[in-house]
Amino acid sequence: MRLEEAKRIIKETLPEKRYIHTLGVVETAIQMARQYGVQEDKAALAAMLHDYAKYRNVSEMQRVAVELGLDELLNYDEELLHAPVGAELVKRELGVEDADIYQAIANHTTGAPNMPLLDQVIFVADAIEPNRHYPGVEQLRQIAQEDLTQAVIATLVQTISFLCKKQTVIFPLTIKTYNAFVPEKRKGTVL
Ligand SMILES: [Fe+2]
Ligand SMILES: [Fe+2]
């Protein structure tokens, strides 16, 4: 699927605010892809489609999650469903067969311990795109310009601490992702 076609579909599918967010993720993902050696066209398309299922009704998303064997997700915040379900619906409904794009969409909310660079770019771009406004976002943007691994860790810290402050349960995959990425930074030159 070409980016322009995906853009047209997303404009029709998502409310204005979420569409503007999506365009911000696309712009940020393209910049980050260039910087970190990720295929730009894949980053752009994954970013454009990442929130495709965001406004589906919960029972529909739960049904698809069960079909995918992701029953465990039903015990956690409904917000988590739209990522893996979105990946599947982008494949089923839009015919996007690219496995890399599928995985990047599926991992964009929780992260995953072995995320490839494309997934890392989408994960971070979703959190720092220009229309995001929350305390600490400027620092995250700064880190994302310097080191992708650090940016993934900082995004996870932001997410986990936000959930802790709300006293919300945390999906174990997010903790596993954090535990997988934190030792990475010791191998690198940063920190
Ligand atoms: Fe999302
Ligand atoms: Fe998003």
Side-chain angles (χ1 to χ4, degrees):
M1 174 176 287
R2 292 184 51 242
L3 188 63
E4 281 309 308
E5 191 189 352
K7 186 176 176 180
R8 185 182 52 75
I9 292 167
I10 291 303
K11 190 173 193 321
E12 285 168 9
T13 306
L14 299 182
E16 172 90 12
K17 189 165 178 252
R18 185 60 43 175
Y19 175 64
I20 291 168
H21 157 72
T22 298
L23 297 185
V25 179
V26 173
E27 178 195 318
T28 306
I30 290 173
Q31 285 166 8
M32 291 179 70
R34 252 176 230 154
Q35 183 177 353
Y36 293 112
V38 170
Q39 238 179 288
E40 273 177 52
D41 56 341
K42 284 204 190 204
L45 193 54
M48 188 65 81
L49 297 171
H50 83 283
D51 274 342
Y52 177 69
K54 182 93 178 171
Y55 296 90
R56 293 301 174 105
N57 72 53
V58 173
S59 57
E60 183 194 357
M61 287 198 284
Q62 287 174 334
R63 184 168 45 74
V64 177
V66 170
E67 284 167 17
L68 296 172
L70 302 172
D71 308 53
E72 198 198 348
L73 267 180
L74 273 52
N75 301 322
Y76 292 88
D77 195 307
E78 289 163 0
E79 173 64 23
L80 297 177
L81 291 165
H82 80 283
V85 169
E88 182 66 18
L89 294 185
V90 159
K91 184 175 155 188
R92 285 186 196 175
E93 296 176 1
L94 308 182
V96 177
E97 297 282 350
D98 188 309
D100 298 335
I101 289 175
Y102 187 105
Q103 196 183 295
I105 297 172
N107 288 334
H108 88 263
T109 305
T110 57
N114 54 356
M115 295 196 275
L117 293 180
L118 171 64
D119 301 23
Q120 295 179 36
V121 162
I122 302 301
F123 182 73
V124 174
D126 188 29
I128 65 166
E129 62 91 7
N131 307 292
R132 291 283 200 202
H133 303 287
Y134 53 85
V137 69
E138 273 309 326
Q139 201 196 351
L140 258 182
R141 289 184 181 122
Q142 191 60 43
I143 296 168
Q145 287 183 10
E146 292 160 11
D147 184 284
L148 184 55
T149 302
Q150 279 301 124
V152 170
I153 294 169
T155 303
L156 287 160
V157 168
Q158 167 73 33
T159 304
I160 291 168
S161 49
F162 175 75
L163 294 171
C164 281
K165 278 178 201 146
K166 282 204 307 177
Q167 299 193 353
T168 304
V169 289
I170 299 171
F171 191 55
L173 190 60
T174 300
I175 305 287
K176 280 185 189 160
T177 307
Y178 174 79
N179 286 343
F181 272 83
V182 164
E184 279 294 307
K185 78 178 183 190
R186 301 205 187 95
K187 293 183 205 156
T189 50
V190 176
L191 293 187

